[in-house]
Amino acid sequence: MYRVKTFNRIAPSGLSLFPTELFSVGPELRNPHALLLRSHPLSVDSLHSGLLAIARAGAGINNIPVDECTKRGIVVFNTPGANANSVKELVVAAMLLSSRDVLGGVKFVNEIPKNLQGPAFKQYIEDGKKKYVGRELKGRVLGIVGLGAIGATVANIALAMGMQVLGYDPYLLPPTSPRVPLQVKKLDCLQALFAQSDIISLHLPATKDNHGLIDRTLLSECERGTVLLNFARSEVVNHNDVLEALQTGLLAKYFNDFPMHEYSGHASIYSTPHLGASTVEAEENSAAMAVTQLINFFHHGDTVNSVNFPNVQLERTRGFRVSLTTLQATNCLSIVLSTLGVAELGVEGLNSSRRDAVAYHLIDLDREPSGEQLDKLRAIKRVIDVRPIGFA
């Protein structure tokens, strides 16, 4: 039985997908084969020798020591797109609030003196509403940094509202690009996007290269009164430079999902308490996707949506399946096949791929290998994991 240790609150509708006869799931399990979490920060000490996989019910992976997982042959999954609609709706709300001072208008009405009634009440509202004249989003320019699952959905809704949309994503991959509307004008220069946009929405991961990417240099390209939206990751902006841009008027408003003490009480900063994926639907979608990935990994060896392993699937035959992981190896597969041949194990199916230094192989054999035969595979240089998966 596979043991899956959970952290945070994982939607019960997702957990219910685990076959109870094959998986033991809970927060108190020891020596688990897999970890299932959301925002819980994992330390390297959590990566014990029997751990095979980690699934993050969400898109971000900055709470997981991915590099160390890779070295140990631990597959890390995330759930790209599962919370895309939830984040998109929050971005749309921020765009609307950036153009129409709805919050200010509500506050104004709530603070009307209690003694005002009748004509005086109506006149007070008529006089006051002049301070809350806004602008329509239609015709304005939205710049989207990062055209992945979330950025693409934001682009679609912005176009539907009549906005012009610019996009920047140097890592746009073929599976993602069909989701990006043709009407999006893709730019090769991030500075140009900042210079031409009325509103800029960030949808990029918190990688080392992106840390503090939105800084004084980029913000200096903005026209005065630009609005910045950050529902991606706190780390992608230089916070001091954002505060400076607000002070000088280059930025009119900064909407973000990452409260900081430095932002408290700032009249032009609107922070929400990390609500991007906080909808019932997003939590259920993310949990179901993460659980399904773990089931497929343990049952079939699939690594689809892994962030550190190549995406590998293989249609099951009636044979016995073995998964094999290698690091920094060029001719390892030929040695593996030769070893299987010597053992007179017939290969009925094979799929193999590489991602950076990691190569991952799914091999279907005509019969079950012995423990000694599996040990010979493990003894091959640069092989870091051999896992028997069993018959289809």
Side-chain angles (χ1 to χ4, degrees):
M1 179 172 283
Y2 297 112
R3 297 181 298 278
V4 180
K5 184 173 183 177
T6 58
F7 298 88
N8 309 118
R9 179 190 178 279
I10 307 298
S13 61
L15 295 178
S16 68
L17 298 176
F18 280 118
T20 55
E21 71 276 12
L22 297 174
F23 288 87
S24 177
V25 182
E28 305 298 332
L29 294 178
R30 296 192 176 199
N31 300 317
H33 299 99
L35 304 178
L36 176 57
L37 51 84
R38 293 175 64 194
S39 58
H40 176 81
L42 277 185
S43 66
V44 173
D45 293 338
S46 304
L47 311 178
H48 64 85
S49 59
L51 189 63
L52 299 173
I54 299 171
R56 162 79 155 90
I61 52 170
N62 52 323
N63 57 322
I64 301 171
V66 176
D67 290 343
E68 187 61 31
C69 288
T70 304
K71 293 176 185 177
R72 302 186 187 200
I74 300 169
V75 183
V76 179
F77 297 96
N78 69 345
T79 57
N83 62 0
N85 189 71
S86 176
V87 177
K88 175 201 73 177
E89 290 184 357
L90 194 58
V91 171
V92 171
M95 287 196 296
L96 291 167
L97 292 174
S98 73
S99 297
R100 307 288 295 275
D101 191 6
V102 176
L103 298 177
V106 170
K107 184 174 185 292
F108 163 73
V109 171
N110 286 337
E111 294 178 351
I112 293 176
K114 299 293 185 183
N115 62 338
L116 287 181
Q117 298 180 18
F121 179 85
K122 292 182 180 180
Q123 189 60 48
Y124 191 88
I125 291 176
E126 284 299 313
D127 292 341
K129 75 176 188 179
K130 299 171 185 177
K131 296 184 294 184
Y132 304 102
V133 175
R135 293 192 59 183
E136 296 181 8
L137 290 175
K138 183 179 180 180
R140 303 189 75 191
V141 180
L142 172 65
I144 300 177
V145 183
L147 292 167
I150 297 173
T153 61
V154 170
N156 273 295
I157 195 68
L159 289 167
M161 291 191 294
M163 301 183 75
Q164 301 176 51
V165 181
L166 309 177
Y168 173 84
D169 192 334
Y171 305 106
L172 194 63
L173 298 173
T176 305
S177 53
R179 295 200 296 263
V180 180
L182 295 176
Q183 301 95 314
V184 175
K185 182 179 179 182
K186 301 180 186 69
L187 302 180
D188 296 325
C189 175
L190 188 54
Q191 288 81 356
L193 182 141
F194 270 68
Q196 297 176 38
S197 301
D198 299 310
I199 302 172
I200 299 166
S201 190
L202 307 178
H203 300 285
L204 62 165
T207 62
K208 293 178 182 177
D209 291 340
N210 290 338
H211 189 90
L213 177 67
I214 313 305
D215 60 5
R216 179 183 293 109
T217 301
L218 265 180
L219 293 169
S220 68
E221 301 286 343
C222 295
E223 292 286 343
R224 292 182 63 81
T226 300
V227 172
L228 180 64
L229 313 178
N230 180 15
F231 293 91
R233 284 290 179 265
S234 176
E235 296 86 350
V236 301
V237 304
N238 183 305
H239 304 291
N240 290 331
D241 291 355
V242 167
L243 289 169
E244 180 183 293
L246 287 165
Q247 183 178 1
T248 61
L250 284 173
L251 289 180
K253 296 172 183 175
Y254 176 47
F255 284 78
N256 70 95
D257 205 19
F258 315 101
M260 296 182 63
H261 179 72
E262 296 90 327
Y263 295 164
S264 297
H266 198 295
S268 300
I269 295 180
Y270 301 81
S271 299
T272 47
H274 208 178
L275 297 179
S278 292
T279 63
V280 172
E281 294 84 357
E283 292 180 3
E284 289 180 346
N285 291 341
S286 297
M289 192 171 178
V291 168
T292 300
Q293 287 166 179
L294 288 178
I295 293 172
N296 289 339
F297 172 73
F298 284 110
H299 283 187
H300 308 297
D302 294 355
T303 54
V304 175
N305 286 330
S306 171
V307 301
N308 62 338
F309 272 52
N311 278 218
V312 176
Q313 281 180 298
L314 180 63
E315 192 71 28
R316 290 299 296 253
T317 66
R318 289 177 294 176
F320 190 95
R321 177 163 293 183
V322 173
S323 71
L324 188 141
T325 306
T326 63
L327 279 177
Q328 303 287 355
T330 54
N331 63 339
C332 193
L333 181 58
S334 61
I335 299 174
V336 168
L337 294 176
S338 176
T339 302
L340 293 173
V342 170
E344 297 183 347
L345 289 166
V347 175
E348 295 193 335
L350 169 67
N351 194 13
S352 176
S353 187
R354 177 181 296 275
R355 179 172 185 168
D356 299 324
V358 179
Y360 185 71
H361 320 274
L362 290 178
I363 305 171
D364 282 348
L365 304 172
D366 59 357
R367 57 190 173 87
E368 182 176 0
S370 67
E372 181 182 355
Q373 290 166 335
L374 290 173
D375 286 340
K376 287 182 179 179
L377 294 177
R378 295 186 179 103
I380 297 172
K381 187 176 181 181
R382 303 295 186 184
V383 170
I384 62 171
D385 181 66
V386 175
R387 184 166 69 94
I389 299 174
F391 290 96

